[in-house]
Amino acid sequence: MGYAEVSVNSPIAQRRTFSYTIPPSLSIDVGQAVWVPFGDKLLQGIVVELSDYPSVAETREIAGVIDPRPLLSPARVGLARWISEHYLSPLFEAVALMLPPGFERKVLTFISGPSSPPEYDLASLNQEQRHVLELIQQGKIGLKELEKVLGKKKAQTVVSQLVGRGLAVRSYELGPIKVRPKEELYLSLSVKSSEAQQEAARLRGKKAVKQAALLDFLTQQTEPVSWVEVRHKVNCDKAVADALFSKGLVTVQYVGVKRDPLADYCMPLSYPLSLTVAQRSALETIKSSLQGDISLSAFLLHGVTGSGKTEIYLQALAEVVKQGRRGIVLVPEIALTPQTIERFASRFPRKVAILHSKLSLGEQYDEWHRIRDGEFDVVIGSRSAIFAPQPDLGLIVLDEEHEWTYKQSDRPRYHARDVAIKLAELTGAVVILGSATPDVETFYHAQGGDYQLLQLPERVTPSEGASLPQVEVVDLRDELKAGNRSLFSRSLSQAMAKSIACGGQVILFLNRRGAATFIQCRRCGFVLRCKRCEVALTYHFAGDVLLCHRCNYRTAVPRVCPRCLSPRIKFLGIGTQRLEQEVSRTFPQTRWLRWDSDVTKYKGSHQEILGKFRAHEADILIGTQMIAKGLDLPQVTLVGVVSADTGLNLPDFRAGERTFQLLCQVAGRAGRGRLGGQVIIQTYAPEHYAIQAAAKYDYDAFYNKEINYRRQLRNPPFSRLACLTYSQTNDAVCQREAERMKRLITQEIDSRGIADLSLIGPAPAFIHRLRGRFRWQLILRGSEPSALLSELPIPQGWAVDIDPVGLV
Ligand code: ADP
Ligand code: ZN
Ligand code: ZN
């Protein structure tokens, strides 16, 4: 007899699997979705392993098969197990990442009579039992219906009694699927057009102008018209159509439509470009890995924006397709990369699938099934597209691999880069990590030989003004000295005026995150830092104190600047609002737009704002980090970074890296057209290595400094981190629990004698209060923090983040 280890969809299951007997009637495979009894319930599960022996003495039987085809390939089952172990997440949560959208459904219980009922005495049954027996003699009935008749409790008792006596049996079915094929409303006339015209005239007489207009419109049509089109052309709302429908003048029908997220794109076919020397050499190396000639299968493709990385992805994919295999391409944020998607779609016409979380559930459902059936050569998507059921995987591309959006902030808190590397290992696929500013850890691994480094040192087309723009770093300390109290340095305001006068456009970049949290000397730019952790201290209005969010060090705000003795020490960062005011004061004649997450909450608003800016309906675009992403705006001749210091002073050891990456990206937005361009970075810390290196696009200079700091302070990649956050409505309780956990972990470290694990904190989290709950944090640092944590009891209320990307 065979046994199956099953990952069960229950919060109790955690990281465990459970053993079940495979009944002879069922054929079961790894990756298959099954029903299993669990306590007194029947739950969904995924088979993760088959074995000849159970892991416990007594096992129950698998109750049934949900889907005859396995939903997960064996490699993906392996991936789920790795995610669960590595990120300490419940196994089913890891499995669920790879299940078809809408998979998790309720189980419905049905009651019916047994095929051969035993002898029984009717008199021994009470009235309700007899009532139920009568009902089920007519056929099976849902428990829900019985509950409506008898009440919930009573129904369940009676059913249990009847089942116990062998007079009824339970069976289970899936609840209704939440996803349905999408349908669209179509309208047509249900009367002759002559009649409709008469009716329209009558309606006009009664001042029902809209109804008349709609009738007229339909009279002119030869075929049913979709409601979307009608609404657009006649400019009426649904009530107007309803009124005509109820008068019997209009017919309404639903027509199924296939959801195709690429429908809006109009794509001419594109052909492979003939490669530059650097591109060819990179591609040849990747190809030899794809052909199995070299054993190394992970690459870091390092090249500035415009150096031709995407063209390499495209040609590497073409090679994979030629071999009869397929690829997955991850991009940081799909809504911001329509141009990239178009390039893939035009190279592989009708062979590209798009997956991302902003698709409707129905769209995701359709795409999942089509991908599994092998309809696409390439799947493109954000983070979670790494879990697409793409068969015969040959290549995984992570574009902009340094982006933090690749890390999921909710459970399971996986990093798509690490998942991609693991999946490639399990499937034999090749991975390309691409970036202009690689993550310091990735670059370190590439130097160490874990990945092969491929470099594209130059832009492909340095002609046509596409070379990298000039960067000027402005020292804000000189501005105050010269009596300039504006947010714009003299340099920046002159450049803005000039750009606009010459018909160019300006982007003003403000990293709002972290603004108004640190204080800075307005005269010399000095920022107070924690002596132990090196991170900027955060200012708290309540209590007027400075606090280290890593180790909980507190200190009073000094009256004068410790460096230059100026009393103007309490200068807080700037917000977008302040910036908007300043723009309208300094440039009253100009038109400007703002683009940040506050104004782009609804679907499509990105495109709208961007469309307006591209159409030159505004001269200035004010934005946060979102504008740094890969947009091609040829009319932008000036990018101004209003304050480079806000990012620099976030209480996180990655602040320098983050600032460098952002500045490089932002600078890349300027001078993409024939007009050329200029970048101005304003800062109080012009000598900072991250700013210096960004101004020269010098990744090596940045990396060499940064990796030394990391080594000195034993930060990743020289250690791994686990961030433990406890949240609770009461701040004091929260702190006490954090301290208790610290004692527990310290004891554990001591008793096991693990020398290389250290604990930092507890301290209030940078965002101390979130949705009414206070948060305290502990950071565990060492070579394998998750090994220790996996064996500790971690109570409810704690969130564990392994390899966190941001500590704020
Ligand atoms: P990246 O992905 O590094 O930003 P792209 O692949 O987008 O770079 O290339 C930048 C621009 O150069 C694109 O317009 C692309 O079409 C063009 N390009 C890339 N490779 C070549 C080539 N070998 N010959 C001519 N143009 C190229
Ligand atoms: Zn000072
Ligand atoms: Zn500290």
Side-chain angles (χ1 to χ4, degrees), residues 641-649 659 663 681-683 691:
V641 178
V642 180
S643 163
D645 304 3
T646 43
L648 224 43
N649 292 304
T659 300
L663 290 179
I681 298 176
Q682 304 195 129
T683 175
I691 294 177

Side-chain angles (χ1 to χ4, degrees), residues 37-49:
F38 195 79
D40 60 353
K41 289 202 186 82
L42 196 73
L43 298 180
Q44 293 173 311
I46 298 290
V47 175
V48 299
E49 201 177 323

Side-chain angles (χ1 to χ4, degrees), residues 273-276 279 303-311 343 460-461:
L273 301 169
S274 102
L275 298 180
T276 63
Q279 280 177 318
V304 293
T305 321
S307 60
K309 297 187 294 294
T310 310
E311 186 60 34
R343 284 179 69 185
V460 178
T461 47

Side-chain angles (χ1 to χ4, degrees), residues 6 28 32-36 43-47 62-67 103:
V6 178
I28 298 287
Q32 197 150 24
V34 290
W35 292 118
V36 289
L43 298 180
Q44 293 173 311
I46 298 290
V47 175
I62 289 178
V65 163
I66 299 178
D67 199 320
F103 172 81

Side-chain angles (χ1 to χ4, degrees), residues 521 523-526 561 563-566:
C521 169
R523 179 142 165 260
C524 78
F526 182 76
C561 168
R563 186 154 74 190
C564 75
L565 305 181
S566 158

